[in-house]
Amino acid sequence: MHEYSLACEIFETVIETAHDNKASAVNSITLEIGMLTHANPEQLLFCLEVLSRDSIAEGAKVNVNFISPYGECDCGYRGDVGVGDGINCEDQPSLYEYAVMTCPSCGKPLQLVGGDELIVQTIDIEI
Ligand SMILES: [Zn+2]
């Protein structure tokens, strides 16, 4: 139930922010989810929906932006890993971990950095 605990964290953040701003309802929430969190977006959205029932966030629209990890090399190269071309990584985020990525400037394997974020980017509320 990885998604459930993530959804709980998101939900708490949303409710806290809504209360701090004296909101009467939450219209929409925008999330940034790193591809390496292994969260299944559908399950995550479902858990959020269940959690927000009977709260001021009930019925809020949830937008999800995915964040890709980037590659870093000993030689100082840093850039996008670019696995996404032709592959739907939203369905198969684990591809990022198994794909062999090499540094375009020196050819050594790249280290993956980032992609495990889970951020509540914006919350649109009704005052
Ligand atoms: Zn390199």
Side-chain angles (χ1 to χ4, degrees):
M1 290 301 275
H2 182 55
E3 282 80 6
Y4 186 76
S5 58
L6 291 175
C8 283
E9 269 177 54
I10 296 166
F11 180 69
E12 275 169 30
T13 308
V14 169
I15 294 298
E16 237 170 70
T17 310
H19 277 273
D20 287 352
N21 292 284
K22 300 186 171 38
S24 62
V26 178
N27 294 329
S28 70
I29 305 160
T30 304
L31 305 175
E32 282 198 339
I33 301 177
M35 299 238 185
L36 300 185
T37 55
H38 294 274
N40 176 318
E42 270 171 41
Q43 281 182 35
L44 186 69
L45 294 185
F46 176 75
C47 292
L48 266 179
E49 198 193 304
V50 172
L51 285 168
S52 30
R53 267 177 209 160
D54 299 321
S55 80
I56 56 168
E58 182 167 10
K61 183 174 165 21
V62 184
N63 306 303
V64 181
N65 295 324
F66 289 95
I67 307 170
S68 317
Y70 62 89
E72 220 173 44
C73 178
D74 293 342
C75 75
Y77 172 83
R78 195 173 152 152
D80 288 335
V81 287
V83 187
D85 300 338
I87 304 169
N88 189 348
C89 286
E90 290 181 18
D91 290 339
Q92 293 165 285
S94 59
L95 283 174
Y96 272 102
E97 283 170 307
Y98 300 112
V100 177
M101 285 159 286
T102 51
C103 175
S105 68
C106 74
K108 278 200 239 168
L110 286 175
Q111 299 277 352
L112 278 186
V113 183
D116 54 0
E117 304 85 350
L118 183 77
I119 302 161
V120 181
Q121 197 184 32
T122 53
I123 302 172
D124 180 25
I125 51 168
E126 198 87 47
I127 307 271

